[in-house]
Amino acid sequence: MKIDPFTLEVIHEALISVVAEMRVTLLRTAFSSIIYEGQDFSCALADPRGRLACQSREDFPAHVGPLNMQVPQAVAKYGDDIHPGDLILTNDPFTSGTHLNDVALIAPIFWRNKLIMFACSRAHWGDVGGMTPGSISGQTADIYQEGVRIPILKLHDRGRPNEAVYDLLFGNVRQSGDRRGDLMSQMSAAKSGSDRILKLVERFGHQTLSQCIDRILDRSETRMRQRIARLKKGTYRFKDYLDSDGHSDTPIPICVKVTVTDGAVDVDFEGSAPQRPGPTNASLAVTSTAVFVAMKALLDPEGPINEGAFRPFRLHVPKGSLLDAVHPAPMGGFVEVLRRVESLLMGAMSRCVPEDVAGDTKGCANHLYISHLAGNAVRSIHYEYPSGGTGGFNGGDGSNALREWDTGDFSSVHSAEIVEREHACLVEEYALRVDSGGAGRWRGGLGMRRVIRIDGERANLSILSDRNVIPPFGVNGGHSAQPNSFNVLRDGIVIAPSQLPGKVSGFPLRAGDRVIALSAGGGGFGDPGERSVDSVLRDLAYGYISEQAAATLYDVIGRRRVAGRHGGHLTSGRCRLWRDPSPAGLEAIVLSAETAAEIGIENGQIVELVPSFGAPSRGIVRIRDDIPARGEIWISPQMATVLGCAEGELLSIRTFDHGSHDPSRGWIAASRNLAGAAE
């Protein structure tokens, strides 16, 4: 049957419109502010085989992408035992889910007793049980501490509710009334999607709809392969790190090898860390989605999002690694892993298309939970995820305190009015964080400063975040941004709520305490010395940067650039190769004591090696006496491969010391130039 292009486009846009109407239905009927205010939910349509047919641009790819694997698993489980009126529910990360708070509802759509599509939604429930209110925290040890795990099961069977499942589920979550209301909202969205699809079938016929979906998927595949074919063929590597797993302060390495062939991309994560005892783990579905989102944003940001566009990407992910974790690994921090995989892909592709990548984003979800208590009972659970700066890019600065390119239509943060109406607290401060964006020819966007005062008698604080130690990177000579930071101000004294930055479980708060959330900025793009003086002065006038940052990072004093200072100066040395004897954690960058003293670097300090183009490599300084006194930087062959440098070439080293950090007063820039310019 021939499908004319006009009919194809009408049906394609109609499917997108159906998803958009599902979103509006869920948004307008939800009980929890995390949905109606934070918009932490997504909707999608899948064909009878479970293939992702359509999502809207407002949806969160990390919600929808895993459905491309999860819906087929539901189809495989029930086979011919799927009937009109069925509703399938799951939040199981081990069957291609995300984390337990993200509950997926899969509703089959029947036309004349024939299964024709699935209406799907995934919504973040504010609590699903577990060791802390809100279920997500930084120091969980297994999946059981994160709440109730729902395997793929029928919540409704031929229209009849399974009351035992309802009783079991809502008997094990906090604030069950809100959770039940959010589930009803997901059902309403499914009903809306089903009604609209049936009207579409009545107008065009089932055969036409089915063939159009096949064409849409095939066309998306062709479009993506054409974009890939334009890339420079070759193999590109990168290595990045998570700060910690919530149980140890050792950074967690993730490695990637990206091989670009003619119309396809192979992505190999061999060498990445095994699954962690803490919550920084993800399913294979999440890792696959992260690869797709990063590559699609880089290659084809305007094209449709569906199963066809996934096809050109082939993955190798070690089973049992933190990128394909197995039971009983906790999964609360799947977004932290997802974002690091996206950064990893951007870092690798920065060697392939350096002018097309952007500086890194804040690099995590920044899950922040404040549970307000009344006696021993939970009065309310305040959950938000402060957004940060996005990276500078070729031709423009990053955005300030906005969602990243991979997040969909989530809000930056909850409005003060909503927070104060629902919870016993006061939003005292909500401002841009001065000097937080990475310096560059194109500056990274600023993070935010958020201060919440506790007005109730008691509360608990849980945080799951990353990029608190190792900050978002810049590209092509751009500087790293300031990292995320979370602290408590009590009686004028700053208290770290955990020994591991960004990993907090149930820290007790009391009346008058202030939770200070500082989100990271975005990484810079290009040499800061090439930023126009007018742009620097504009940033000063807007309060985006301090005078000290203008002088030390951009060499602008008064209204002119000081010749010869050049804030992009780096200390350089000849590359020498050695085998790192301790591959766990950060790789070693070995300097002599004389070299380290000359440039003001201490043993154990985290630094970055900056290539002439692309993304930097991070490592930890090891000072040794058995190497030449001056002028050499010793690194592993693996790091040299990532940087694309050979023995004897010049390497540039840079610290992250951009300022003194006083959480009670915000960030004060105090970047210093390192001694010695590149030869």
Side-chain angles (χ1 to χ4, degrees):
M1 180 179 177
K2 289 191 66 175
I3 304 294
D4 67 87
F6 300 101
T7 300
L8 182 65
E9 287 305 314
V10 167
I11 289 181
H12 190 191
E13 292 302 318
L15 292 174
I16 295 173
S17 178
V18 170
V19 175
E21 187 165 338
M22 292 171 64
R23 281 185 55 84
V24 171
T25 301
L26 208 163
L27 183 70
R28 296 293 175 84
T29 60
F31 277 49
S32 301
S33 61
I34 191 59
I35 296 178
Y36 66 72
E37 180 75 9
Q39 302 194 43
D40 195 344
F41 73 96
S42 299
C43 300
L45 294 169
D47 75 353
R49 293 158 55 184
R51 298 179 302 175
L52 178 63
C54 180
Q55 74 166 77
S56 76
R57 296 190 182 279
E58 293 79 21
D59 288 304
F60 182 23
H63 280 164
V64 178
L67 289 169
N68 200 47
M69 297 174 70
Q70 197 164 46
V71 179
Q73 287 178 296
V75 172
K77 177 174 180 177
Y78 288 108
D80 294 334
D81 191 24
I82 298 177
H83 306 282
D86 285 357
L87 289 177
I88 298 170
L89 194 73
T90 184
N91 70 347
D92 185 11
F94 304 111
T95 53
S96 301
T98 54
H99 57 192
L100 296 185
N101 290 77
D102 286 344
V103 180
L105 184 73
I106 303 168
I109 303 173
F110 282 82
W111 177 75
R112 297 180 181 176
N113 292 319
K114 181 179 180 63
L115 177 63
I116 60 171
M117 293 199 82
F118 291 93
C120 311
S121 65
R122 197 188 302 274
H124 185 107
W125 288 15
D127 183 276
V128 288
M131 64 183 280
T132 57
S135 309
I136 295 175
S137 65
Q139 297 173 338
T140 52
D142 57 42
I143 195 71
Y144 303 107
Q145 293 183 334
E146 295 184 332
V148 176
R149 183 161 63 99
I150 310 167
I152 295 173
L153 55 78
K154 285 189 180 182
L155 183 67
H156 288 197
D157 191 348
R158 304 181 195 227
R160 297 187 55 165
N162 188 332
E163 296 296 346
V165 172
Y166 274 90
D167 292 343
L168 179 64
L169 178 58
F170 294 117
N172 285 280
V173 302
R174 301 171 182 91
Q175 299 182 304
S176 60
D178 283 358
R179 307 293 84 78
R180 187 182 291 268
D182 292 339
L183 175 58
M184 297 300 112
S185 296
Q186 289 183 260
M187 292 180 184
S188 297
K191 179 66 166 56
S192 170
S194 176
D195 290 346
R196 295 305 182 193
I197 290 295
L198 292 177
K199 288 185 178 180
L200 199 61
V201 172
E202 289 172 6
R203 179 180 175 186
F204 291 98
H206 168 250
Q207 186 178 7
T208 300
L209 175 63
S210 177
Q211 291 194 2
C212 281
I213 290 174
D214 287 340
R215 293 278 185 89
I216 290 166
L217 301 186
D218 291 344
R219 186 174 62 174
S220 295
E221 177 185 3
T222 300
R223 178 182 172 116
M224 182 61 75
R225 291 193 187 279
Q226 290 172 343
R227 292 320 187 260
I228 294 171
R230 300 172 187 172
L231 295 174
K232 183 174 64 175
K233 309 302 180 290
T235 298
Y236 308 96
R237 302 173 187 266
F238 198 64
K239 186 175 185 178
D240 204 353
Y241 301 87
L242 290 158
D243 289 344
S244 72
D245 60 13
H247 291 256
S248 164
D249 62 0
T250 301
I252 305 163
I254 308 179
C255 305
V256 73
K257 179 176 72 173
V258 180
T259 303
V260 178
T261 59
D262 190 12
V265 176
D266 294 308
V267 183
D268 188 346
F269 291 96
E270 193 66 43
S272 298
Q275 68 186 58
R276 313 311 301 163
T280 49
N281 296 292
S283 66
L284 176 61
V286 166
T287 300
S288 301
T289 298
V291 171
F292 169 71
V293 171
M295 296 301 290
K296 191 172 190 313
L298 182 66
L299 301 176
D300 186 22
E302 298 300 324
I305 305 165
N306 55 49
E307 184 268 348
F310 276 71
R311 295 173 186 168
F313 303 101
R314 302 182 293 246
L315 273 67
H316 169 67
V317 184
K319 192 72 175 177
S321 69
L322 82 163
L323 305 176
D324 185 11
V326 299
H327 186 270
M331 298 281 204
F334 91 93
V335 176
E336 280 56 46
V337 179
L338 172 104
R339 295 279 164 74
R340 197 58 61 255
V341 172
E342 292 170 348
S343 298
L344 202 68
L345 266 292
M346 286 297 177
M349 295 307 293
S350 72
R351 305 294 300 173
C352 176
V353 283
E355 295 303 309
D356 294 340
V357 299
D360 198 12
T361 68
K362 78 175 192 297
C364 63
N366 276 344
H367 301 284
L368 187 152
Y369 280 93
I370 302 174
S371 52
H372 299 270
L373 308 178
N376 292 324
V378 175
R379 176 187 177 276
S380 66
I381 302 173
H382 170 217
Y383 170 43
E384 63 182 31
Y385 24 74
S387 62
T390 64
F393 58 94
N394 187 17
D397 295 338
S399 299
N400 299 328
L402 287 180
R403 287 294 155 206
E404 303 86 348
W405 44 268
D406 69 336
T407 310
D409 205 27
F410 282 24
S411 62
S412 293
V413 75
H414 286 7
S415 67
E417 292 81 3
I418 291 291
V419 173
E420 293 168 2
R421 185 189 72 187
E422 295 189 349
H423 311 288
C425 62
L426 178 71
V427 179
E428 286 192 333
E429 221 180 309
Y430 177 29
L432 294 179
R433 183 182 173 196
V434 180
D435 288 334
S436 56
R441 179 180 182 184
W442 303 105
R443 176 183 44 74
L446 304 184
M448 75 167 67
R449 173 176 165 82
R450 180 98 157 163
V451 179
I452 299 175
R453 188 185 75 202
I454 306 303
D455 285 346
E457 185 177 338
R458 292 173 55 233
N460 284 334
L461 174 67
S462 293
I463 295 168
L464 181 47
S465 174
D466 203 73
R467 290 298 202 209
N468 286 243
V469 177
I470 304 172
F473 57 75
V475 293
N476 301 327
H479 284 222
S480 296
Q482 298 296 353
N484 297 296
S485 176
F486 299 87
N487 288 279
V488 174
L489 183 64
R490 175 177 294 168
D491 299 329
I493 299 173
V494 175
I495 301 171
S498 170
Q499 292 183 343
L500 298 176
K503 307 295 190 296
V504 183
S505 289
F507 178 82
L509 299 171
R510 63 194 191 200
D513 284 354
R514 289 164 172 81
V515 176
I516 302 173
L518 304 177
S519 65
F525 182 102
D527 188 337
E530 297 177 1
R531 186 168 179 81
S532 73
V533 173
D534 285 345
S535 295
V536 176
L537 295 176
R538 181 196 63 202
D539 288 347
L540 269 172
Y542 289 166
Y544 293 164
I545 65 173
S546 64
E547 290 186 1
Q548 190 170 8
T552 58
L553 297 178
Y554 296 103
D555 304 332
V556 174
I557 299 176
R559 300 188 60 84
R560 63 187 181 87
R561 176 162 278 126
V562 179
R565 290 177 54 86
H566 189 51
H569 276 182
L570 308 170
T571 296
S572 298
R574 296 289 178 186
C575 170
R576 293 289 180 261
L577 303 183
W578 77 306
R579 187 162 300 280
D580 186 350
S582 54
L586 282 161
E587 286 197 46
I589 296 174
V590 182
L591 306 173
S592 69
E594 185 175 344
T595 299
E598 180 182 338
I599 59 180
I601 293 179
E602 299 177 357
N603 192 52
Q605 188 170 351
I606 301 174
V607 298
E608 59 186 14
L609 297 178
V610 184
S612 57
F613 67 93
S617 288
R618 273 72 180 276
I620 188 166
V621 171
R622 299 300 182 200
I623 296 175
R624 293 172 56 130
D625 296 327
D626 56 347
I627 65 172
R630 295 186 61 188
E632 294 190 355
I633 300 173
W634 289 62
I635 61 174
S636 71
Q638 293 82 4
M639 186 178 286
T641 299
V642 169
L643 290 167
C645 68
E647 183 113 25
E649 289 187 20
L650 279 177
L651 276 179
S652 299
I653 189 169
R654 182 162 61 200
T655 70
F656 299 138
D657 185 13
H658 293 301
S660 59
H661 184 185
D662 180 358
S664 67
R665 298 179 181 174
W667 195 273
I668 302 172
S671 181
R672 69 176 178 220
N673 289 322
L674 301 179
E679 293 183 10

